């Protein structure tokens, strides 16, 4: 029997997940963690804050930051959101660039590549949504294109949705991390509070169930989050903030049907998260053009 020459040291560090809006960054984080800490929708610009996800693997701990998608922001609100993504670049040991390989967007790719080229640290590129690609040649071409575009440790084709090659990607990330301690105990998944995630889950339902400009004009705050007197459930009060009366009408819906659906779907997921019964009371409020108001932007958590 031969002894292992070097017991491999524990590895840890920060991996910032970056990419264009809708590339599948949040889906990937949730897939790696096996839990939902970041909300997902088919609309671009779903994620608005940087969100920590702690990934535990034998011999390693990865601190992931999910970030808002990077795009050319025009106004005050969106500049603030994109800045939240860029601010997470500086702290990273590794940048994990997620690209939608099924719908390549050359402009978004170039914006991202520019950022990656100025980085000194390690870069790993995940070509996501390969479950949608039937032409193998397309994928090979993309791998070549990205390898040529910026220096990186690896280009890994994955599907965040069905899990294809996700553990291969995690192994590549661990290989690129420095030696270091476990920063969080085994049971910690995120530093986001249940209150914050509850607000996000409500916002996710608005993103998924309403259309046009409504999702983008939506912010959610939680005013109360406390166990009922008999301890049998958690009472939550939250407000959906919108910019115009017409949007309020859409979110409430005919006879209150839309608001009821948003509330029911959000409540189910919050119950799953906190493993308790929830009574969710939703309010809808209009704050005219809040996205142009620095104070409101701040108050809503951005
Ligand atoms: N088919 C397929 N769809 C995916 C995959 N990964 C993500 N999606 C879908 O892509 C859409 C966007 O996913 P998100 O995870 O919200 O994307 P994101 O990059 O976090 O987007 P922003 O937060 O807006 O920047 C959702 O409809 C996901 O279900 C994948 O591997 N395959
Ligand atoms: Mg996201």
């Amino acid at each position: 029997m031969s002894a292992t020459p070097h017991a491999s040291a524990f590895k840890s560090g920060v991996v910032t997940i970056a990419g264009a809006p809708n590339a599948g960054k949040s889906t990937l984080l949730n897939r790696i963690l096996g839990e939902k800490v970041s909300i997902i929708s088919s609309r671009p610009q779903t994620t608005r804050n940087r969100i920590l996800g702690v990934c535990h693997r034998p011999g390693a701990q990865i601190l992931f930051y999910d970030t808002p998608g990077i795009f050319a922001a025009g106004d005050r609100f969106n500049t603030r959101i994109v800045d939240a993504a860029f601010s997470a670049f500086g702290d990273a040991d590794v940048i994990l660039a997620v690209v939608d390989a099924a719908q390549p967007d050359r402009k978004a790719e170039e914006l991202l590549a520019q950022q990656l080229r100025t980085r000194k640290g390690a870069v790993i590129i995940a070509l996501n949504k390969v479950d949608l690609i039937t032409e193998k040649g397309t994928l090979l071409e993309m791998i070549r294109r990205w390898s040529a575009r910026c220096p990186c440790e690896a280009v890994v084709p994955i599907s965040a949705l069905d899990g294809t090659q996700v553990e291969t990607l995690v192994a590549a990330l661990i290989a690129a991390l420095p030696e270091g301690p476990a920063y969080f105990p085994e049971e910690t998944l995120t530093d986001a509070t249940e209150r914050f995630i509850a607000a996000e889950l409500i916002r996710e339902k608005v993103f998924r169930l309403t259309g046009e400009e409504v999702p983008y004009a939506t912010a959610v705050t939680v005013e109360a989050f406390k166990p009922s007197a008999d301890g049998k459930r958690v009472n939550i009060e939250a407000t959906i903030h919108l910019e115009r009366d017409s949007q309020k009408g859409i979110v409430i819906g005919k006879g209150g049907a839309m608001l009821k659906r948003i509330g029911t779907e959000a409540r189910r997921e919050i119950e799953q998260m906190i493993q308790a019964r929830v009574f969710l009371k939703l309010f809808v409020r209009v704050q005219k053009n809040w996205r142009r108001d620095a104070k409101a932007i701040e108050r809503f958590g951005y």
Side-chain angles (χ1 to χ4, degrees):
M1 224 169 77
S2 67
T4 324
H6 305 283
S8 53
F10 198 87
K11 292 189 131 192
S12 63
V14 174
V15 173
T16 291
I17 308 175
N22 221 36
K25 300 178 292 299
S26 303
T27 306
L28 177 60
L29 177 64
N30 293 344
R31 161 69 58 183
I32 291 170
L33 299 183
E35 296 273 350
K36 185 165 176 178
V37 301
S38 199
I39 62 166
I40 295 167
S41 88
S42 60
R43 293 173 199 287
Q45 297 165 49
T46 304
T47 304
R48 290 178 181 166
N49 308 79
R50 98 173 173 179
I51 290 162
L52 175 70
V54 184
C55 161
H56 307 268
R57 291 291 186 272
Q61 184 173 90
I62 313 176
L63 313 184
F64 282 102
Y65 276 122
D66 185 16
T67 66
I70 292 162
F71 63 105
D75 58 22
R76 185 204 287 268
F77 176 67
N78 283 318
T79 304
R80 189 100 189 163
I81 299 301
V82 174
D83 280 351
F86 285 138
S87 76
F89 272 53
D91 306 331
D93 293 295
V94 181
I95 301 267
L96 170 57
V98 180
V99 178
D100 183 343
Q103 269 191 311
D105 172 346
R106 296 291 182 124
K107 224 170 125 187
E109 284 185 10
E110 217 13 78
L111 198 65
L112 179 63
Q114 257 173 37
Q115 290 299 322
L116 296 178
R117 280 194 292 263
T118 63
R119 287 273 319 161
K120 276 201 217 82
V123 171
I124 289 180
I125 294 163
L127 300 180
N128 191 30
K129 308 196 186 182
V130 294
D131 56 290
L132 297 175
I133 300 177
T134 45
E135 269 286 319
K136 250 200 149 154
T138 323
L139 196 56
L140 291 174
E141 207 279 310
M142 275 205 92
I143 295 174
R144 269 196 296 273
R145 186 158 86 230
W146 274 100
S147 306
R149 233 187 210 133
C150 53
C152 62
E153 317 296 305
V155 181
V156 189
I158 61 159
S159 169
L161 193 67
D162 69 18
T164 303
Q165 291 258 73
V166 168
E167 281 311 306
T168 309
L169 173 66
V170 172
L173 291 167
I174 292 171
L177 284 179
E179 288 180 12
Y183 294 99
F184 289 92
E186 191 83 41
E187 64 278 6
T188 302
L189 268 186
T190 182
D191 64 351
T193 60
E194 288 176 338
R195 225 182 151 104
F196 171 82
I197 300 176
E200 286 284 274
L201 288 168
I202 296 163
R203 195 167 64 79
E204 180 190 77
K205 301 314 164 200
V206 178
F207 261 66
R208 290 188 179 194
L209 295 172
T210 69
E212 293 172 51
E213 90 288 5
V214 177
Y216 300 101
T218 299
V220 177
T221 53
V222 170
E223 280 74 43
F225 194 115
K226 53 174 186 280
S228 60
D230 61 6
K232 284 194 175 140
R233 61 181 195 201
V234 175
N235 291 326
I236 300 176
E237 286 178 22
T239 305
I240 299 174
H241 305 269
L242 297 157
E243 291 196 317
R244 290 208 299 267
D245 291 326
S246 57
Q247 296 159 350
K248 184 174 174 177
I250 292 167
V251 165
I252 291 172
K254 250 207 184 111
M258 177 57 87
L259 190 62
K260 194 167 173 204
R261 199 167 157 204
I262 291 167
T264 305
E265 293 194 12
R267 176 180 51 77
R268 284 201 188 113
E269 285 206 36
I270 297 167
E271 286 180 334
Q272 212 179 326
M273 168 178 68
I274 66 176
Q275 294 289 305
R277 298 204 55 178
V278 165
F279 179 76
L280 176 61
K281 191 163 184 182
L282 287 178
F283 302 90
V284 184
R285 209 164 274 152
V286 173
Q287 166 142 8
K288 291 241 151 40
N289 298 321
W290 67 262
R291 280 178 294 174
R292 283 192 233 149
D293 176 351
K295 277 209 187 109
I297 290 172
E298 180 113 16
R299 194 152 43 83
F300 294 160
Y302 304 116

